[in-house]
Amino acid sequence: MKIFVTGIGTDVGKTIASSIITESLQADYWKPIQAGDLDNSDSHKIERYISNDKTVIHSNSYKLNTPASPHLAAEIDGLTIDLAKIVAPETENHLVIEGAGGLFVPLNNQDTIVDLIAADYKVVVVSRHYLGSINHTLLTIEALQNRKINIAGIIFSGEQNQATESIILSKTGIRFIGRIEQEPYFDQNVIKDYADQFRDKLLTL
């Protein structure tokens, strides 16, 4: 199973969600494009958060120096991102693939993050509550559906907002995988606890 983790925007909790899914399934992890924070990248964070000994963290296809939209970060580095050079690693294990920002973050003048999603990927949407997040979540889901991309489920991140969650779930019919609370911190024990909570639903995606 290949699970692509996308968010409704930037800083909504994709990496925490990815670490939970990775730990839960003892899956491999791959972030195709890392822009900025190369010494403390999302791959580094996943490595710190997980505690199983089965996960393999695969190298980024592109490591860009500037914390910016990938198309700009690549330009600053004197590069142009080429989708043909972004090839999923071969593995016998489950694979968790983490996107960058939202679906329409540009990679170059033609392609965006959504173009990284292959036909056999199952997409998990991470939604974080803020004013406007209902609209952003529904737009993300509709964009995926319009492209006939398989949406496996949704994870809510942050403090519970029942009114927001219920309207999103009722309007979309998307499977609810779980909620990641506004924890004071995340470490291996917290990630493992969520991994245990989410495992049954993840295994049936």
Side-chain angles (χ1 to χ4, degrees), residues 9 29 43 46 66 72 88 90 92 100 124 154 168 185 198-199:
Y29 171 86
S43 297
I46 296 288
T66 306
L72 175 59
E90 293 187 9
E92 299 292 320
V124 170
I154 188 167
I168 289 170
Y185 62 88
F198 288 12
R199 184 170 296 112

Side-chain angles (χ1 to χ4, degrees), residues 14-190:
K14 288 189 306 298
T15 302
I16 292 295
S18 295
S19 67
I20 290 167
I21 298 169
T22 299
E23 179 67 16
S24 184
L25 300 176
Q26 297 189 16
D28 287 4
Y29 171 86
W30 177 50
K31 174 121 180 176
I33 301 169
Q34 176 70 40
D37 297 324
L38 297 185
D39 293 329
N40 186 31
S41 69
D42 292 338
S43 297
H44 288 107
K45 293 170 186 174
I46 296 288
E47 188 174 18
R48 289 200 303 270
Y49 285 142
I50 64 172
S51 53
N52 79 85
D53 58 5
K54 187 176 179 182
T55 293
V56 174
I57 298 174
H58 298 275
S59 297
N60 312 112
S61 297
Y62 284 93
K63 295 180 180 179
L64 307 171
N65 289 293
T66 306
S69 173
H71 82 292
L72 175 59
E75 181 181 329
I76 292 170
D77 285 357
L79 302 170
T80 298
I81 293 174
D82 182 355
L83 251 59
K85 295 182 180 178
I86 302 176
V87 180
E90 293 187 9
T91 177
E92 299 292 320
N93 196 7
H94 298 303
L95 179 64
V96 175
I97 305 145
E98 183 180 349
L103 291 177
F104 294 115
V105 167
L107 305 179
N108 50 44
N109 288 338
Q110 293 82 35
D111 306 305
T112 70
I113 289 292
V114 74
D115 296 304
L116 296 177
I117 302 175
D120 62 335
Y121 292 179
K122 297 181 178 182
V123 175
V124 170
V125 175
V126 180
S127 176
R128 187 175 187 85
H129 304 312
Y130 55 82
L131 188 61
S133 67
I134 295 174
N135 182 53
H136 293 161
T137 304
L138 296 180
L139 284 171
T140 297
I141 290 168
E142 183 166 314
L144 290 166
Q145 291 172 334
N146 285 343
R147 290 174 179 245
K148 298 184 170 27
I149 293 172
N150 180 5
I151 307 174
I154 188 167
I155 291 173
F156 291 110
S157 173
E159 293 181 4
Q160 181 178 9
N161 185 320
Q162 189 60 48
T164 294
E165 294 174 22
S166 62
I167 195 67
I168 289 170
L169 294 174
S170 66
K171 287 184 74 64
T172 64
I174 299 301
R175 180 192 302 213
F176 171 61
I177 296 172
R179 181 187 305 101
I180 304 168
E181 302 291 347
Q182 189 68 31
E183 302 287 351
Y185 62 88
F186 287 96
D187 61 11
Q188 289 186 352
N189 289 330
V190 176

